[in-house]
Amino acid sequence: MENSKGQWSSNFGFLMAAIGSAVGLGNIWGFPYKMGANGGGAFLLIYVILVVFVGFAVMLGELAIGRRTGKGAVGAYRALSRKLTWVGYMGVGSAFLILGFYSVLGGMVMRYMLGFLVNLFGGDGFGAEGFFGSWIANMPGMVGFYALFMLLNITIVMGGISGGIEKFSRIAMPALAVMLVTVIVYVACQPGAMEGYKFMFVPDFSVFDSLKSFFSVLKAAAGQMFFSLSLGMGAMITYGSYLSKSEDLNRNAIIIPVADTIVAIMAGMAVMPACSAFGMDYGQGPGLLFNTLQTVFMDGMGGFIGNLMGFLFYTLVFIAAITSSISLLEVNTAYIIDRKLEKGKKANRRSITAIMGAVIFIVGLPTALDGLGTNVAGGALINNPAITFGLPSVGATADWLDFYDMIAEGILMPLGSLAMSIIIGWVFGSRMIKEEATCSGHVYKGEKFYNICFRYIVPVIMVIVLYAQIQTFFG
């Protein structure tokens, strides 16, 4: 029976949207710099192992819960048991906070994309050196592009599941793949690129020379895998709720993490060799996307081809960002729609999406107004949480982006996934997953494997992720 809120028109459309949700800034930005800071190939090896033993299971669990109940995160857990409603609220709360600061970064990506486009036509898209530092203190510019990015999200989600999210994703994801391959091929031809590939694919096991260093790589890989796959924020539960009962849930739960991992590796193949070829630091951190790579394209490659590669790269980053952000807005939109339908009221998707988008925009404004932590002293309009509230100056209070991220990614997401694995592994058992995976005659492959993952492996890894996040933000 078709979901009254809408349904994917095809499994391909669902996969493009779900992969698009998973493929975001975490792949194009986070994966390369975390790999660069954690031993290259050694990090990649741990990451792939975690995808197999954690990513597949959590993805299957969230898709199954969503499709079984036909509701978004809150409604889905409430349908399982009213006592579990709080787990759904953690997912919706995560999506709400993440979308605010994520859209600020999305707006910045749009500005860089526009800058390289202007350069292509002979203009000056960035001005003097040190553009990044001057841009984050440009409050009208930051807020303006933040608003534009959020408006694009609202417009797409207003179109509904098949007419908006799926329609956009079916075009955007293949376009992203073509652009990414184009950049990879060009970068591969640059002298010195081979060192970047060696760093990526030849594991440096010296990072495992002590238990402490091994744990450091493990927690970095676990946190990256978890956030990259859009797990724990209600997105896959919500997308799963629009999935037809005739589709093979087991197969889709494998395809999405595999595709996401391939894109992450491809992003590394674009970034690492480029940094190697032009003498840039692999693990510079968040500045890799908005500082290092701008220098690579403008000064390293230079000329028309450098601007073209820069435009293509930031365009594919924009696509990755918006296919993820629309899933976050849909999580919040679906929550309100579910509530209205449960009360027997009509739910106007367009007005609900617009109102929810406006509320999230307002809540996210501080991330655009503190200059990413440069504060009033650096030309921003407001100060970070540490100064504003007189809090200790730690990672979680360094800027509003990290403050919101600490609440969402640092606490709510890992707690939500930990709770889900316990609910499936120890409360309901695998029966619920098996019934959903086999409801249309499909074979539930790997049942024993998934049972072990849900009961033992996923809870342990989620505790590690939770500890690592708390240590990162407060240590």
Side-chain angles (χ1 to χ4, degrees):
M1 183 176 69
E2 183 175 331
N3 192 320
S4 62
K5 298 183 297 179
Q7 194 169 39
W8 307 109
S9 66
S10 67
N11 194 58
F12 175 76
F14 159 72
L15 286 174
M16 290 299 97
I19 293 170
S21 175
V23 173
L25 291 177
N27 297 71
I28 312 297
W29 172 21
F31 187 86
Y33 91 71
K34 288 181 182 178
M35 181 190 290
N38 291 279
F43 173 90
L44 177 59
L45 178 63
I46 297 297
Y47 183 90
V48 171
I49 292 172
L50 288 171
V51 168
V52 173
F53 286 95
V54 179
F56 289 165
V58 178
M59 181 67 68
L60 177 62
E62 293 202 351
L63 290 176
I65 290 173
R67 192 173 74 170
R68 183 181 182 87
T69 61
K71 298 180 182 294
V74 173
Y77 279 106
R78 184 187 289 117
L80 296 179
S81 171
R82 285 194 169 274
K83 295 180 180 179
L84 300 177
T85 304
W86 61 275
V87 182
Y89 276 118
M90 286 198 294
V92 172
S94 298
F96 184 93
L97 291 176
I98 290 171
L99 182 56
F101 70 75
Y102 197 91
S103 295
V104 173
L105 298 175
M108 292 176 64
V109 171
M110 290 181 70
R111 174 60 183 86
Y112 275 69
M113 181 176 69
L114 177 62
F116 278 106
L117 180 62
V118 170
N119 284 358
L120 273 175
F121 288 94
D124 185 359
F126 295 100
E129 291 187 13
F131 174 78
F132 177 70
S134 63
W135 174 252
I136 60 176
N138 180 344
M139 296 297 96
M142 287 284 285
V143 173
F145 275 91
Y146 170 36
L148 180 57
F149 188 84
M150 183 63 79
L151 184 60
L152 289 174
N153 278 271
I154 292 171
T155 302
I156 295 169
V157 175
M158 274 183 173
I161 303 307
S162 61
I165 297 173
E166 179 179 354
K167 189 175 182 180
F168 177 79
S169 300
R170 288 171 69 102
I171 298 172
M173 292 310 296
L176 180 148
V178 171
M179 292 178 192
L180 187 52
V181 169
T182 302
V183 175
I184 289 172
V185 170
Y186 179 77
V187 168
C189 298
Q190 304 306 304
M194 186 56 65
E195 290 302 314
Y197 295 124
K198 289 180 180 178
F199 181 79
M200 279 190 67
F201 297 114
V202 179
D204 176 13
F205 291 114
S206 66
V207 297
F208 298 152
D209 60 2
S210 69
L211 184 61
K212 181 179 180 181
S213 60
F214 171 77
F215 181 75
S216 178
V217 177
L218 175 63
K219 70 180 185 181
Q224 173 61 27
M225 178 274 304
F226 180 66
F227 185 73
S228 175
L229 290 175
S230 294
L231 302 174
M233 58 181 74
M236 291 304 160
I237 293 177
T238 303
Y239 274 13
S241 72
Y242 306 125
L243 189 60
S244 168
K245 293 286 187 178
S246 64
E247 303 298 347
D248 189 339
L249 206 65
N250 205 158
R251 182 186 62 187
N252 287 340
I254 294 175
I255 291 175
I256 297 167
V258 168
D260 177 76
T261 302
I262 290 173
V263 173
I265 293 173
M266 290 174 68
M269 291 172 65
V271 173
M272 297 299 185
C275 289
S276 173
F278 297 103
M280 297 294 176
D281 182 9
Y282 295 129
Q284 195 205 20
L288 179 68
L289 179 62
F290 295 115
N291 205 352
T292 303
L293 289 174
Q294 181 199 3
T295 303
V296 166
F297 293 122
M298 288 187 63
D299 300 335
M301 298 180 185
F304 176 82
I305 195 66
N307 287 318
L308 177 61
M309 290 298 111
F311 173 70
L312 289 177
F313 179 80
Y314 283 102
T315 300
L316 72 88
V317 175
F318 162 72
I319 293 173
I322 200 164
T323 51
S324 289
S325 58
I326 57 178
S327 71
L328 299 176
L329 182 54
E330 179 59 26
V331 169
N332 288 273
T333 298
Y335 164 65
I336 301 298
I337 291 176
D338 283 343
R339 293 295 290 168
K340 285 187 173 293
L341 293 177
E342 287 170 3
K343 295 177 180 179
K345 299 179 180 179
K346 290 184 178 180
N348 186 312
R349 166 175 283 273
R350 296 179 67 85
S351 61
I352 291 173
T353 303
I355 293 171
M356 186 56 70
V359 172
I360 294 173
F361 174 79
I362 293 170
V363 173
L365 266 177
T367 62
L369 297 178
D370 77 338
L372 299 184
T374 58
N375 303 316
V376 174
L381 285 181
I382 64 173
N383 288 315
N384 63 26
I387 298 174
T388 301
F389 302 121
L391 300 173
S393 183
V394 294
T397 61
D399 52 55
W400 282 93
L401 188 155
D402 283 322
F403 184 70
Y404 287 151
D405 194 27
M406 174 268 297
I407 299 171
E409 185 185 353
I411 298 175
L412 297 181
M413 286 172 58
L415 273 180
S417 287
L418 175 61
M420 187 211 69
S421 64
I422 293 173
I423 289 167
I424 293 176
W426 296 94
V427 179
F428 289 98
S430 62
R431 174 183 54 81
M432 179 179 69
I433 302 297
K434 184 175 182 178
E435 288 177 357
E436 193 58 35
T438 60
C439 66
S440 294
H442 296 293
V443 178
Y444 181 33
K445 299 177 181 178
E447 180 179 356
K448 292 183 179 179
F449 169 77
Y450 283 120
N451 289 347
I452 293 172
C453 291
F454 280 122
R455 290 174 71 89
Y456 305 107
I457 299 177
V458 175
V460 170
I461 296 299
M462 286 302 98
V463 169
I464 291 175
V465 171
L466 180 61
Y467 170 76
Q469 296 292 58
I470 292 174
Q471 185 185 60
T472 299
F473 286 112
F474 296 104

